[in-house]
């Protein structure tokens, strides 16, 4: 068993290395699990963001104006959310992923090749919105068990946006 003196020395060394102890009432194991889940959500959110911006640029056809503007509103909201997710990971004491390599590895959404037709873009976005919602929802039990309210709040907000946006996009596909 480590003595108190050793503990104190270890703590001091960590502080000197810039790794300050985090004592917010969440265990390191729980913080690590939640940060990992939020990293997966960040990867899906970034992939969805880029897909939406790509379609904003490349959409064509009779629905051009509606979709061009709608996609812009969506990617603008998503861009702001990326920051909130990444900064929650940081507040839990872990580095936020920030490279395309990590996002491709972690994302459950597959990137779309080429330039699809307008309605195919909408279909792909419905699937990507739903996938992002599933990723957020799958983290909920972990966050609830750990008693992590800020992460639960963030997940609730993201779920609300992704489910509502999926409904709006889905509605464009109906007659
Ligand atoms: Fe634009």
């Amino acid at each position: 068993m480590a003595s108190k003196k050793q503990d104190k020395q270890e703590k001091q060394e960590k502080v000197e290395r810039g790794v300050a102890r985090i004592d917010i009432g969440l265990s390191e194991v729980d913080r690590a699990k939640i940060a990992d889940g939020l990293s997966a959500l960040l990867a899906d959110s970034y992939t969805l963001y880029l897909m939406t911006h790509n379609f904003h640029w490349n959409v064509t056809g009779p629905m051009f104006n509606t979709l061009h503007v709608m996609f812009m509103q969506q990617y603008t909201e998503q861009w702001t959310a990326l920051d909130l997710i990444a900064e929650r990971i940081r507040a839990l004491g872990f580095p936020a992923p920030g490279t395309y390599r990590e996002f491709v590895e972690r994302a459950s959404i597959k990137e779309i090749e080429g330039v699809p037709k307008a309605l195919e873009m909408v279909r792909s976005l419905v699937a990507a919105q739903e996938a992002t919602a599933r990723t957020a929802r799958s983290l909920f039990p972990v966050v609830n068990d750990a008693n992590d309210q800020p992460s639960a709040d963030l997940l609730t907000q993201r779920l609300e946006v992704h489910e509502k946006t999926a409904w709006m996009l889905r509605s464009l596909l109906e007659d």
Side-chain angles (χ1 to χ4, degrees):
M1 208 175 88
S3 72
K4 269 191 175 174
K5 201 178 165 190
Q6 273 176 324
D7 275 354
K8 207 177 165 190
Q9 197 185 342
E10 219 170 86
K11 230 182 266 177
Q12 186 56 35
E13 281 169 7
K14 275 192 171 182
V15 170
E16 278 164 15
R17 290 204 314 270
V19 189
R21 204 168 92 85
I22 297 174
D23 188 12
I24 55 173
L26 294 172
S27 72
E28 184 162 2
V29 172
D30 281 344
R31 285 190 286 104
K33 265 195 266 177
I34 297 164
D36 188 59
L38 288 174
S39 296
L41 179 61
L42 185 60
D44 270 349
S45 303
Y46 207 102
T47 309
L48 171 62
Y49 154 76
L50 188 57
M51 187 188 289
T52 309
H53 210 152
N54 172 2
F55 292 170
H56 164 81
W57 293 325
N58 290 306
V59 69
T60 54
M63 292 173 78
F64 172 83
N65 203 45
T66 305
L67 294 181
H68 182 70
V69 172
M70 190 188 197
F71 294 162
M72 184 178 72
Q73 288 164 348
Q74 291 171 6
Y75 78 68
T76 304
E77 191 281 332
Q78 289 157 8
W79 181 252
T80 308
L82 296 175
D83 206 49
L84 299 177
I85 300 165
E87 290 180 1
R88 182 63 196 150
I89 296 169
R90 295 296 299 125
L92 290 168
F94 292 87
T99 61
Y100 288 113
R101 183 183 55 75
E102 286 168 294
F103 289 148
V104 168
E105 272 171 20
R106 297 293 314 255
S108 72
I109 301 167
K110 278 186 87 177
E111 290 190 302
I112 304 294
E113 301 285 336
V115 181
K117 296 269 182 212
L119 284 183
E120 205 42 55
M121 287 182 176
V122 174
R123 252 177 236 118
S124 296
L125 286 175
V126 171
Q129 291 279 352
E130 289 179 346
T132 311
R134 288 195 301 274
T135 301
R137 181 162 275 113
S138 69
L139 184 56
F140 233 102
V142 180
V143 161
N144 269 346
D145 286 352
N147 205 21
D148 178 358
Q149 292 84 1
S151 295
D153 185 44
L154 178 60
L155 290 175
T156 305
Q157 288 178 45
R158 296 320 301 152
L159 277 168
E160 200 175 345
V161 170
H162 293 303
E163 290 177 7
K164 187 174 179 177
T165 311
W167 154 61
M168 287 180 168
L169 289 162
R170 219 182 279 123
S171 299
L172 288 167
L173 301 171
E174 287 173 18
D175 292 327

